[in-house]
Amino acid sequence: MALPESVKDILAGTCGGITQVLVGQPFDIVKVRIQTAPRGMYSGILGCVSDIFQKGGLSAFYRGTELPLIGVGACVSIQFGVVQYVKRIFQDQNRGAFGGKSQHLSHAQLYLSGAAGGIANSVLASPIEQVRIRLQTQQTPIYSGPLNCIQQISAKGGVSGVFRGLVPTLLREGHGMGIYFLTYDYLVQQVMKSQHLEHRSQLSPTVPLLAGASAGVVLWMAVYPIDVVKSYIQTDAINPKERRFRGMMDVIRFVHKSSGTAGFFRGIIPTLIRAPFANGATFLAFEMALHQLSQF
């Protein structure tokens, strides 16, 4: 009995998500530390890297990885599963409109497929990222691990505290994933056209690697300020009475007043360095896993 296409998409997405965490986690820790640190705390990327290493060694760059390995794997599996499902809906619509002939998806269809995947995964991604960010940025041991962090958040902030940062996550994931998958699929389609290929399985592994790397860079250039706002909200005090920010507008005003426009791009360099490695690896793992699963 053959596996349903949706199951294959989810399993392949899980492989991509796990690969993304393993490759990108050290870069992500540096990004979040620079984003949320008091101005002047770090002299730059190397200063931040040196500080993390001196205080915790190499293992410090993978602090808080346990939850992302499970959670990001789940998030990316949902993301890819929804994207592929929506793409198939559009493909069926196109076949009906073009007399049964297969057509490439339009740019709008690719964007909407990616946006649907991003929105679907946000509800899970928001609490997972909050836990990861709190574990990454703690200078002294406050949380003993992911579960303890969740317990403290829910005890002091309730259910709404667990989902703090959901709105900027929805904005980032919806628009960001739309751009992300549009860029990736556009580049893959161009290669397939130029090489006269009919199936993605015929592509060289360098194609998803390079297309994914490019998509990752474009993604972060499109949504980075939103990610900065999200990081401030998710590293704010757990207790509602002690919080500095009530919502996104408070953060935007604070960042602009304290750091100007540049404040919305703090930490972008390690992010752009991370993006091609993590996202190239994600799509390569996804395409390879999907190819293997196509045999079942």
Side-chain angles (χ1 to χ4, degrees), residues 169-226:
T169 302
L170 283 166
L171 292 173
R172 186 197 68 181
E173 292 295 295
H175 176 57
M177 290 301 108
I179 294 292
Y180 185 58
F181 282 96
L182 166 60
T183 302
Y184 177 77
D185 279 292
Y186 173 78
L187 293 173
V188 169
Q189 285 179 7
Q190 294 306 303
V191 173
M192 292 181 70
K193 281 182 184 179
S194 67
Q195 297 181 2
H196 307 289
L197 303 178
E198 295 184 4
H199 304 288
R200 290 195 181 212
S201 58
Q202 297 173 292
L203 290 168
S204 161
T206 58
V207 175
L209 189 66
L210 294 176
S214 301
V217 172
V218 173
L219 158 69
W220 284 109
M221 290 178 70
V223 301
Y224 194 80
I226 302 173

Side-chain angles (χ1 to χ4, degrees), residues 28 32 64 67-68 72 122-138 143 145-146 149-150 152-154 156-166 169 172 227 230-239 243:
D28 196 60
V32 173
L67 186 64
V72 175
S122 294
V123 176
L124 189 58
S126 181
I128 287 171
E129 289 200 10
Q130 180 180 181
V131 172
R132 180 178 67 179
I133 286 172
R134 290 192 184 279
L135 290 173
Q136 287 175 344
T137 55
Q138 62 177 346
Y143 316 107
C149 184
I150 293 170
Q152 290 196 44
I153 293 170
S154 59
K156 297 177 182 178
V159 175
S160 62
V162 175
F163 287 93
R164 187 159 169 78
L166 178 60
T169 302
R172 186 197 68 181
D227 189 66
K230 183 187 74 69
S231 292
Y232 270 98
I233 290 174
Q234 292 187 328
T235 54
D236 203 358
I238 293 176
N239 189 331
R243 288 174 184 161

